[in-house]
Each structure stands twice: as structure tokens, then as C-alpha cells.
Amino acid sequence: MGEQPATTEDGHFVVIDGRRWRATDPAIPEDVAAELRRALMAARRDVGAALRAGDDPAPARARVQAAKVALGERGTPWWEQTLDERRRRWERRPDRDARTETPG
């Protein structure tokens, strides 16, 4: 894996090319975070494939959103949630649909 991006002092954001992006919740166990990132990337690829095929990308975009929320990168900021709320967020595993779909 490449060099880690810079973060804000509080660790809430990563800074890439001068732009702040919400950081992944650091409390997510690495194996779970890796699985969620795989689901996110698969969903992003599916968005592109749907657009190229002239199909509706909405289902794939919904999977992108679900993975980003599970990672803590969207939705209620993870630093405003209790550890139990954060754990419930990633344990809901909204990426399951992305993992069980067969590639098309």
C-alpha cells in the first residue's frame, strides 16, 4: 500500500491535494475495514460499468453510499458517536449485498 495521506490534527479528516475528506473510523477492526473497502471499490466499479452500459447506476451508487456510511466516511460523524453506536454502524455490514452479488 502507498504512502498514507496527511490528516488534520484531530484525525477526523485526511487531506488529499489540499481537500479535506472524512477519515475512516479508526475504531473499525482492520479486517472489517479491508472488507468494507473491497465492497466500496467493487460498487464503484459497478457504477462505472452501469454508466458505460447505459444502465441505471442507482443500485451501485446505493452500495457505494452504504459502504461509505459503514466506514464512517458519510452519515453521522464517527467522532460524534459512542463506541457502541460506531460498532453497530459497521456491524450492520451494509456491504453484504455487494459481497453476495455475482459479477456481471
Side-chain angles (χ1 to χ4, degrees):
M1 193 176 208
E3 186 178 320
Q4 294 296 312
T7 61
T8 57
E9 195 171 307
D10 58 15
H12 296 171
F13 298 89
V14 295
V15 181
I16 301 171
D17 295 330
R19 185 167 177 181
R20 290 183 342 159
W21 300 90
R22 193 183 309 173
T24 297
D25 184 344
I28 300 174
E30 182 50 39
D31 61 323
V32 175
E35 190 173 338
L36 290 168
R37 284 190 298 270
R38 282 191 298 274
L40 172 61
M41 297 314 293
R44 285 178 169 164
R45 284 190 299 273
D46 290 346
V47 168
L51 290 171
R52 286 187 298 278
D55 295 334
D56 181 8
R61 285 185 173 147
R63 292 181 15 241
V64 168
Q65 174 69 9
K68 298 283 280 177
V69 168
L71 285 163
E73 297 175 8
R74 291 188 184 157
T76 303
W78 50 262
W79 57 89
E80 294 178 3
Q81 295 178 311
T82 66
L83 186 54
D84 285 339
E85 290 170 324
R86 292 161 71 182
R87 187 175 295 112
R88 281 192 299 273
R89 185 194 67 242
W90 77 68
E91 286 178 350
R92 275 195 304 264
R93 307 302 282 274
D95 63 307
R96 287 178 201 255
D97 291 340
R99 290 192 324 251
T100 58
E101 288 181 10
T102 56

